């Protein structure tokens, strides 16, 4: 898993409708571009201008909240405070929800998804020895309760493998509360209200290698080769005993957070392991795998 909230997705998108649309959806969409959690953000909103303006304001509010919760760059964020002090008392409900989702995906992937890799990432980025950092990893060492989230001594977390998806879900939920019926949210990952939307799955070297039609679901993509740390891929296994097996992995699920976490972990897993993990993930999911030889396989 990666440790900085940096852009590592290379999805191409065409927001054109694929079939009949409701009257409000036939109008040209309102599009907003921005930046959140180290990634380009984009909204494609099928709504009257006044409602679209309200939707953009609501989305910006959610993206600011996500930064305040999960940013590694903001020393005042909840994540930074947890990493600095080792404890986050009375964690905000979204932070607690995300931590518990991490536990679910950690279990479903047999420990491959593990946000405690932050010390490993930092050691590799500095060019330091990693043996001590590797001893600090282990999601099972955390205590997660409504009263407090506590790290083991020396631990630090990164939510890079899930936070962009979670921010995407936060925006989609806010726009759903406004009554919007057809929106495509991209806050580092993709999530849809209604649809269909055509999503191109792309690898940083090979370009678009597959396409999906998205209606009401979410898609996340991870490319290990998008960033190198002194010759090592930025997606790390907590024990450093396995390395990326795929050029790019895209995962489709009900939530962008779940798809984000799964796509991160699946980069480090073989076909058999991915198939087993997909069966354990809540709500059903599928994965599209681009091998280094250019072949493409879909599981689930």
């Amino acid at each position: 898993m990666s440790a900085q909230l940096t852009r590592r997705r290379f999805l191409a998108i065409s927001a054109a409708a694929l079939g009949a649309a409701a009257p409000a959806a036939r109008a040209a969409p309102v599009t907003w571009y921005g930046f959140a959690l180290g990634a380009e953000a984009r909204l494609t909103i099928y709504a009257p201008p006044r409602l679209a303006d309200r939707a953009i304001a609501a989305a910006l509010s959610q993206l600011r909240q996500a930064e305040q919760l999960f940013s590694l760059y903001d020393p005042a964020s909840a994540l930074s405070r947890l990493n600095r002090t080792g404890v986050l008392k009375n964690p905000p409900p979204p932070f607690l929800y995300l931590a518990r989702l991490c536990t679910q995906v950690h279990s479903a992937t047999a420990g491959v998804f593990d946000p405690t890799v932050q010390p490993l990432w930092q050691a590799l980025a500095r060019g330091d020895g990693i043996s001590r950092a590797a001893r600090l990893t282990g999601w099972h060492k955390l205590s997660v309760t409504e009263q407090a989230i506590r790290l083991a001594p020396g631990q630090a977390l990164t939510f890079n493998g899930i936070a962009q998806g979670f921010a995407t879900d936060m925006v989609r939920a806010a726009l759903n509360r406004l009554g919007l019926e057809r929106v495509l949210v991209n806050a580092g990952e993709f999530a849809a209200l209604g649809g269909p939307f055509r999503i191109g799955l792309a690898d940083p070297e090979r370009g678009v290698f597959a396409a999906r039609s998205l209606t009401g679901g979410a898609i996340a993509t991870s490319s290990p080769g998008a960033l190198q740390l002194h010759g090592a891929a930025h997606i790390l296994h907590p024990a450093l005993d396995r390395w990326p097996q795929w050029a790019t992995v895209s995962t489709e699920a009900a939530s962008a957070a779940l798809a984000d976490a799964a796509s991160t972990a699946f980069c480090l897993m073989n076909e058999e392991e991915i198939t087993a993990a997909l069966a354990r993930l809540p709500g059903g999911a599928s994965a599209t795998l681009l091998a280094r030889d250019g072949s493409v396989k879909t599981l689930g």
Side-chain angles (χ1 to χ4, degrees):
M1 290 173 56
S2 169
Q4 302 291 344
L5 290 174
T6 53
R7 178 74 173 168
R8 60 176 171 76
R9 279 79 175 178
F10 296 84
L11 293 180
I13 175 173
S14 168
L18 301 178
R26 283 200 293 264
V30 175
T31 303
W32 171 88
Y33 297 91
F35 197 76
L37 288 172
E40 297 171 1
R42 171 175 172 167
L43 300 176
T44 305
I45 305 167
Y46 289 82
R50 189 169 297 178
L51 179 55
D53 287 344
R54 289 177 60 200
I56 291 168
L60 287 173
S61 176
Q62 293 300 304
L63 292 175
R64 283 193 295 269
Q65 183 181 357
E67 292 275 3
Q68 292 164 359
L69 290 170
F70 308 123
S71 174
L72 283 168
Y73 300 107
D74 179 0
S77 75
L79 178 59
S80 293
R81 289 185 282 117
L82 173 60
N83 283 345
R84 187 167 57 249
T85 66
V87 61
L88 183 65
K89 294 183 178 179
N90 301 312
F95 200 103
L96 181 62
Y97 179 90
L98 184 62
R100 287 174 169 167
L101 183 59
C102 287
T103 299
Q104 283 185 286
V105 183
H106 178 76
S107 176
T109 60
V112 176
F113 179 78
D114 192 321
T116 65
V117 297
Q118 175 69 355
L120 278 178
W121 203 97
Q122 291 175 318
L124 284 171
R126 293 190 303 262
D128 293 346
I130 58 176
S131 57
R132 179 182 179 277
R135 291 195 294 270
L136 299 174
T137 62
W139 183 259
H140 64 282
K141 299 176 184 177
L142 272 72
S143 170
V144 178
T145 69
E146 292 183 3
Q147 290 72 40
I149 297 176
R150 297 180 185 276
L151 305 180
Q155 284 193 314
L157 304 183
T158 169
F159 287 140
N160 184 47
I162 193 170
Q164 289 176 339
F166 192 72
T168 302
D169 289 334
M170 290 171 64
V171 171
R172 178 173 61 173
L175 303 192
N176 187 46
R177 290 192 292 270
L178 289 178
L180 291 168
E181 296 181 351
R182 189 160 185 257
V183 179
L184 185 64
V185 180
N186 169 16
E189 310 299 352
F190 288 96
L193 286 172
F197 297 96
R198 191 72 170 172
I199 306 293
L201 310 182
D203 175 74
E205 293 187 2
R206 294 180 178 272
V208 176
F209 62 89
R212 293 290 178 269
S213 179
L214 187 64
T215 301
I219 291 178
T221 295
S222 295
S223 299
L227 177 65
Q228 295 286 316
L229 300 170
H230 295 279
H234 70 288
I235 296 179
L236 304 174
H237 186 269
L240 287 181
D241 60 359
R242 60 170 77 193
W243 302 95
Q245 301 193 29
W246 308 97
T248 288
V249 175
S250 291
T251 302
E252 186 170 352
S255 83
L258 188 62
D260 192 3
S263 71
T264 301
F266 290 170
C267 289
L268 301 166
M269 301 167 67
N270 62 36
E271 275 188 56
E272 184 178 351
E273 291 169 330
I274 292 170
T275 298
L278 287 169
R280 291 191 290 263
L281 290 172
S286 63
T288 301
L289 315 171
L290 174 68
R292 290 191 177 91
D293 65 4
S295 60
V296 178
K297 183 165 295 189
T298 298
L299 303 177

